[in-house]
């Protein structure tokens, strides 16, 4: 429940970033202004709301780059065009994480992955991020629910041909295994980027 509230708090906070109240709120939040003290001292709900939004934005802005951009991509009110840079940052971070974790790619054997394998992995990470953004709260859309949907999305969006014949086999490296690994990483990152905002919910309830 706290994470669900945190998702809404991020959306609401960034939705009002254009107001003069928000400009002051962000500055005060960055200086460590105590939100609860400000709430007691002011009866103006707009100012109180601004201060709360400033605390949320401050929490998001303090995150590592990949988590900060994931929070914006998943939960902010910005348009797809405005989120292009954030989305690409997370896609690349996910790709690099997968490489660093030494995930085995289909057909790789004991050697190094080929350029085509790495290209497929790069865009499978894009698909995983897209899927997560669709199925997570508050959207709960279909996303890419099947190997066929993943294959079709990669073909339509990036011209990638993905072999999904052995998607669910357990006796060899498959793109299905890589897909599930990528989804687990993104899910874990979402929890990490929501945690500091969810902590504000706990503080306000104290």
């Amino acid at each position: 429940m706290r994470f669900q509230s945190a998702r809404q708090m991020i959306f609401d906070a960034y939705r009002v970033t254009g107001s003069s109240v928000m400009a002051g709120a962000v500055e005060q939040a960055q200086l460590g202004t105590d939100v609860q003290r400000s709430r007691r001292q002011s009866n103006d709900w707009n100012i109180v709301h601004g201060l709360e939004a400033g605390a949320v934005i401050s929490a998001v802005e303090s995150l590592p780059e990949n988590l900060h951009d994931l929070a914006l991509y998943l939960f902010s009110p910005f348009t797809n065009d405005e989120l292009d840079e954030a989305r690409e940052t997370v896609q690349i971070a996910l790709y690099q994480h997968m490489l660093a974790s030494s995930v085995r790619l289909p057909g790789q054997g004991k050697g190094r992955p080929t350029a085509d394998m790495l290209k497929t992995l790069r865009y499978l990470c894009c698909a995983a991020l897209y899927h997560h953004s669709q199925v997570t709260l508050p959207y709960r859309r279909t996303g890419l629910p099947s190997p066929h949907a993943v294959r079709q999305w990669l073909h339509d969006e990036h011209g990638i041909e993905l072999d999904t014949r052995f998607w669910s086999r357990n006796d060899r490296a498959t793109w299905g295994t890589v897909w599930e690994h990528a989804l687990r990483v993104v899910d874990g990152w979402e929890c990490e980027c929501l945690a500091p905002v969810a902590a504000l919910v706990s503080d306000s309830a104290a």
Side-chain angles (χ1 to χ4, degrees):
M1 182 60 71
R2 286 192 301 116
F3 275 13
Q4 184 172 347
S5 298
R7 295 179 178 99
Q8 187 63 49
M9 288 168 68
I10 293 173
F11 180 89
D12 290 342
Y14 280 93
R15 184 174 55 183
V16 296
T17 54
S19 69
S20 59
V21 171
M22 175 53 56
V26 173
E27 181 179 358
Q28 291 185 51
Q30 291 171 341
L31 292 174
T33 299
D34 185 84
V35 174
Q36 294 301 317
R37 182 180 62 194
S38 298
R39 176 178 290 148
R40 291 193 298 269
Q41 291 176 346
S42 175
N43 291 321
D44 185 337
W45 171 247
N46 289 328
I47 295 176
V48 172
H49 180 73
L51 290 169
E52 290 177 339
V56 171
I57 291 175
S58 181
V60 174
E61 295 297 320
S62 68
L63 293 167
E65 185 178 30
N66 65 310
L67 300 183
H68 165 267
D69 285 0
L70 180 64
L72 294 185
Y73 177 61
L74 293 180
F75 309 121
S76 76
F78 304 133
T79 66
N80 286 334
D81 288 343
E82 292 171 323
L83 290 169
D84 274 347
E85 186 174 344
R87 179 172 55 249
E88 184 174 6
T89 296
V90 182
Q91 289 170 349
I92 293 173
L94 179 58
Y95 173 65
Q96 292 174 337
H97 180 92
M98 297 289 283
L99 291 177
S101 65
S102 300
V103 63
R104 303 299 295 179
L105 304 182
Q108 180 178 344
K110 296 181 179 180
R112 293 179 178 273
T114 66
D116 284 343
M117 291 176 188
L118 292 176
K119 183 178 180 180
T120 300
L121 174 63
R122 169 73 174 88
Y123 289 108
L124 191 69
C125 289
C126 297
L129 181 59
Y130 169 78
H131 171 76
H132 186 87
S133 73
Q134 294 295 295
V135 300
T136 193
L137 292 170
Y139 302 110
R140 294 181 178 176
R141 296 169 181 157
T142 303
L144 305 174
S146 67
H148 173 76
V150 176
R151 183 177 70 236
Q152 191 66 46
W153 188 91
L154 286 171
H155 177 271
D156 294 345
E157 296 294 326
H158 299 289
I160 298 295
E161 298 296 337
L162 182 69
D163 185 355
T164 58
R165 288 177 298 169
F166 307 113
W167 188 263
S168 300
R169 287 187 63 163
N170 296 320
D171 59 340
R172 64 172 68 187
T174 69
W175 287 115
T177 302
V178 177
W179 171 256
E180 293 298 330
H181 187 166
L183 292 182
R184 286 194 299 272
V185 172
V186 178
D187 189 62
W189 284 358
E190 180 188 332
C191 292
E192 289 184 58
C193 72
L194 287 173
V197 179
L200 297 176
V201 179
S202 298
D203 291 344
S204 65

